[in-house]
Amino acid sequence: MDAEPKASISPTRLRAGVFLILLWWIPVWLAGPVIAQTAELDVENVVIGLAVVQTVLGALGALIVGKQIARILRGVPRKQMLPTVWRVFRHGSLDG
């Protein structure tokens, strides 16, 4: 049973998901007035569009990270979850 979770865990997906969550935290909406002025668009529509796109990216990142963490949880005890997730994120494998 240990071989299956190791084969299905993707450190690249975990890193990509974390990157998308970090993009969600960046206040991109602050650039809305500048973008609206440059493109000659309505400021409110640009800010709402940026917020929607940013939220979709964050939700997608949470979904990707959640799937990878669920796969990691299948093979390790709950007490070892955080160190194991960090090890997969940094080194790309479950082995120390």
Side-chain angles (χ1 to χ4, degrees):
M1 260 173 77
D2 269 345
E4 181 191 334
K6 288 182 183 179
S8 64
I9 296 170
S10 171
T12 305
R13 287 184 186 161
L14 182 65
R15 292 174 186 144
V18 169
F19 177 72
L20 289 174
I21 291 173
L22 290 175
L23 281 179
W24 181 48
W25 279 81
I26 296 172
V28 177
W29 56 270
L30 289 174
V34 175
I35 295 170
Q37 184 180 13
T38 304
E40 297 179 2
L41 298 171
D42 188 28
V43 175
E44 290 86 11
N45 291 336
V46 171
V47 170
I48 290 171
L50 287 172
V52 167
V53 169
Q54 195 171 12
T55 302
V56 169
L57 288 176
L60 182 65
L63 180 69
I64 292 170
V65 168
K67 283 185 178 182
Q68 294 304 309
I69 290 177
R71 289 179 180 158
I72 292 170
L73 275 178
R74 289 184 200 146
V76 297
R78 291 214 185 255
K79 286 186 177 182
Q80 293 298 318
M81 184 197 64
L82 287 177
T84 304
V85 169
W86 180 247
R87 191 176 320 118
V88 170
F89 184 76
R90 285 195 67 202
H91 302 292
S93 69
L94 286 171
D95 303 325

